[in-house]
Amino acid sequence: MKILAALTLALTLQAQAAEVKLATITTDTMAESTIFYVDTNTDGSAQGLRYVTTSDSSGQITEDVHNTIAEVLDDGSVLEEMEGRVIITLFLEEFNADTGGKIRLNHLVNGATGSRSNIYLKLVKKNGVFALADANGNVVNTLFVKGNWSRWLRRWIGVSTINATFNPANI
């Protein structure tokens, strides 16, 4: 009987853990979109991040990445690689699993020169649920990655901007 009660309690606690959708990430350089999630424990604290990338044409999942908070704190999480180069990496800074913290998206601006840039966001808790916010605290749920196109090389060489906005259709 004790085993049954313990199993029921474990399943109840597991059911309370959640995956919270933070943002839809799209780009003008590839025909795919990525959904960015935070995984929470039963107490509502962040335990991990997940990115699910889907091909826009076929609807097939092309990538499904899970990282623990500890992994992202230590090494960052690569969001995009192309031709052996890291294009976008997500880092957590001043992070607390209960309340959130800073998110730094480090991106390659120009592959020819190796120049990189950062955009800062926040993982915040609003009404007990994690949300993504811009540097001013405005909730965002859409990130659009605009590629840096080289006319001379006739190809994408990096990321020119990452725009963070709120789109009611992405709720």
Side-chain angles (χ1 to χ4, degrees), residues 44-145:
S45 63
Q47 70 175 1
L49 300 175
R50 180 176 182 211
Y51 318 94
V52 180
T53 303
T54 307
S55 167
D56 290 345
S57 60
S58 68
Q60 296 283 341
I61 293 175
T62 58
E63 193 169 23
D64 190 347
V65 177
H66 296 264
N67 294 110
T68 66
I69 294 298
E71 290 170 331
V72 180
L73 283 169
D74 289 343
D75 303 320
S77 179
V78 175
L79 296 182
E80 188 61 50
E81 274 185 287
M82 188 182 298
E83 299 175 5
R85 290 182 176 220
V86 174
I87 307 299
I88 303 173
T89 305
L90 181 144
F91 295 94
L92 295 174
E93 299 177 351
E94 302 171 21
F95 191 80
N96 178 299
D98 293 319
T99 59
K102 284 185 188 177
I103 293 177
R104 177 171 54 103
L105 295 175
N106 177 267
H107 59 90
L108 180 68
V109 174
N110 186 327
T113 64
S115 63
R116 302 189 73 83
S117 186
N118 294 304
I119 178 175
Y120 289 91
L121 300 169
K122 297 177 185 176
L123 184 61
V124 297
K125 219 169 200 180
K126 296 210 177 240
N127 300 323
V129 178
F130 280 107
L132 195 60
D134 64 16
N136 297 322
N138 301 311
V139 173
V140 300
N141 65 358
T142 302
L143 299 175
F144 180 73
V145 179

Side-chain angles (χ1 to χ4, degrees), residues 149-168:
W149 175 261
S150 169
R151 292 182 202 175
W152 184 68
L153 294 174
R154 303 180 85 57
R155 60 185 298 221
W156 302 109
I157 59 170
V159 173
S160 66
T161 59
I162 299 175
N163 296 315
T165 58
F166 181 78
N167 183 344

Side-chain angles (χ1 to χ4, degrees), residues 14-49:
Q14 187 176 20
Q16 292 174 352
E19 185 173 75
V20 178
K21 179 180 174 183
L22 296 174
T24 300
I25 306 168
T26 58
T27 178
D28 65 346
T29 60
M30 291 181 271
E32 58 188 25
S33 58
T34 300
I35 307 294
F36 176 36
Y37 300 94
V38 62
D39 292 322
T40 61
N41 291 318
T42 55
D43 65 0
S45 63
Q47 70 175 1
L49 300 175

